[in-house]
Amino acid sequence: MADRRHALDRIDTTVAHPARRYNYLLGGKDNFAADRASAEAIEAAMPTIRLAALENRAFLQRAVRFLAERGIRQFLDIGTGIPSADNTHEVAQRIDPASRIVYVDNDPIVLTHARALLTSTPEGTTAYIDADLREPQGILDDHEVRSTLDFTQPIALMLVAVLHFVRDDEDPQGIVDTLIDALPPGSYVVASHSTWEYLPSEAIEKLEAANPDGRFRARTAEQLEKLFTRLDLLPPGVQSVSEWWPEDAPNPRPRIEDVAFNALIGQVR
C-alpha cells in the first residue's frame, strides 16, 4: 500500500504522458485532460493515429506469439504502457503457463495498474518495476528483474513503441547496446518505432508543432535498422507493423502510409 501511495504522489495530471496518451488512442479510460489534448493534437495532424496504435498493439501480440511458439519463455517488456487486452504475459502464458515476464515503465499509473491487473498463471511469474529506458543499467541491475529472469537462458527484449521517446542526444544507440550486451545468445529483440517517412510534408509540420519539447523522435526504417546492426534480423527485416506476418492478421491490411510504424525482430548472435 505504501508503494502505491508513493507512486500516486508522483502523478502529474497536468502534463501528458506517453503511456496515458497511448491508452486514450487505444480507447482506454486511464488518462487525463492533458493526455487527451496531446493525443487530439497528434490526431489532427495524422487522422489515422488510432489505427496506428491498434496495429502496433496487434504487432506486439503477434510477435510474442511468434517467439513463444519458438520456445522463448522469458520476456523483458520495457515501456509496457497501461494494461490492455492480450498483454505480453497473457499471450506468452497461453502457449506456456510457466513463462516469466517483467514489465518496465516509468509512469506510476502504469505501475499501480500493472500490480492490480497483470496477474500471472500459478506456474509462471509476472513482475513489474518502475524504471526508465534511458537508464538501462538500472533496469538490468534491478533485483526484481534478476530474480525473475534467468540471464543464462534466452530472453525476449520488447521495445515496442518506446524508443521514439529517446532523443538523439540521450544516446539511443548506447541504450540499445547496453541491453543487448546483457542478453545471452539465442535471445531476441522486438522493436517498433514511429516513422514519418510515409507522411506528406504538411502532416509532418503539424506533428512537429505538436511536439514542442522534442521528446518525440520519429525515425526512418534505415535509422531504426542502424540501432540494431548487432542483431541478425529475421526476414523481412525492418517492415511496417501492418506487414509483419499479414497472413496472421485481419484482412484487408491497412496501408503503411496510414500506420506509420516500422518494426523488426532480431536474434542475438
Side-chain angles (χ1 to χ4, degrees):
M1 181 65 72
D3 285 348
R4 185 175 187 274
R5 282 198 301 267
H6 176 68
L8 291 174
D9 287 343
R10 291 170 39 223
I11 296 171
D12 184 351
T13 64
T14 67
V15 177
H17 189 281
R20 302 195 302 260
R21 181 172 55 215
Y22 192 53
N23 172 264
Y24 176 64
L25 292 171
L26 288 171
K29 298 179 180 179
D30 298 302
N31 47 75
F32 299 98
D35 309 307
R36 295 189 287 274
S38 176
E40 287 163 4
I42 295 170
E43 190 171 21
M46 183 182 173
T48 59
I49 186 61
R50 293 176 188 266
L51 171 66
L54 289 168
E55 283 293 321
N56 181 72
R57 182 74 182 176
F59 162 74
L60 178 148
Q61 293 158 356
R62 294 200 302 276
V64 172
R65 186 170 66 247
F66 173 86
L67 295 179
E69 288 175 347
R70 282 152 183 79
I72 298 299
R73 298 294 178 258
Q74 303 188 103
F75 295 82
L76 178 58
D77 188 337
I78 302 179
T80 180
I82 294 171
S84 183
D86 278 345
N87 300 285
T88 296
H89 77 286
E90 292 169 315
V91 177
Q93 291 181 346
R94 208 171 287 144
I95 293 168
D96 186 340
S99 296
R100 301 189 299 278
I101 296 88
V102 176
Y103 290 106
V104 182
D105 207 291
N106 67 348
D107 183 352
I109 283 188
V110 171
L111 187 65
T112 55
H113 278 74
R115 286 177 171 161
L117 300 176
L118 299 182
T119 305
S120 174
T121 59
E123 302 92 335
T125 304
T126 303
Y128 336 93
I129 70 167
D130 182 5
D132 195 308
L133 174 61
R134 289 179 287 268
E135 299 176 359
Q137 197 60 51
I139 294 172
L140 295 169
D141 292 341
D142 186 89
H143 172 73
E144 199 77 45
V145 172
R146 289 290 169 173
S147 62
T148 303
L149 304 178
D150 178 357
F151 278 77
T152 70
Q153 299 297 318
I155 295 169
L157 170 64
M158 311 294 294
L159 296 172
V160 175
V162 65
L163 280 168
H164 46 230
F165 297 113
V166 178
R167 299 190 306 258
D168 290 343
D169 64 351
E170 294 173 320
D171 192 17
Q173 188 68 68
I175 290 169
V176 168
D177 289 347
T178 296
L179 292 168
I180 291 175
D181 281 344
L183 300 175
S187 294
Y188 289 88
V189 179
V190 177
S192 70
H193 200 296
S194 286
T195 180
W196 292 347
E197 59 194 317
Y198 309 123
L199 301 179
S201 58
E202 58 269 25
I204 295 174
E205 289 175 5
K206 291 179 181 178
L207 287 167
E208 288 175 341
N211 182 40
D213 62 356
R215 169 50 56 202
F216 185 87
R217 173 67 167 92
R219 294 182 173 93
T220 65
E222 182 179 356
Q223 289 169 328
L224 176 60
E225 183 171 2
K226 186 178 179 180
L227 290 173
F228 296 96
T229 54
R230 298 172 62 191
L231 300 178
D232 292 327
L233 298 188
L234 276 59
V238 178
Q239 182 60 271
S240 169
V241 294
S242 67
E243 295 299 315
W244 265 99
W245 306 297
E247 64 275 7
D248 294 337
N251 282 289
R253 303 305 300 132
R255 303 184 315 152
I256 60 175
E257 293 87 349
D258 292 335
V259 174
F261 266 98
N262 286 320
L264 60 86
I265 296 181
Q267 188 169 31
V268 178
R269 302 183 181 107

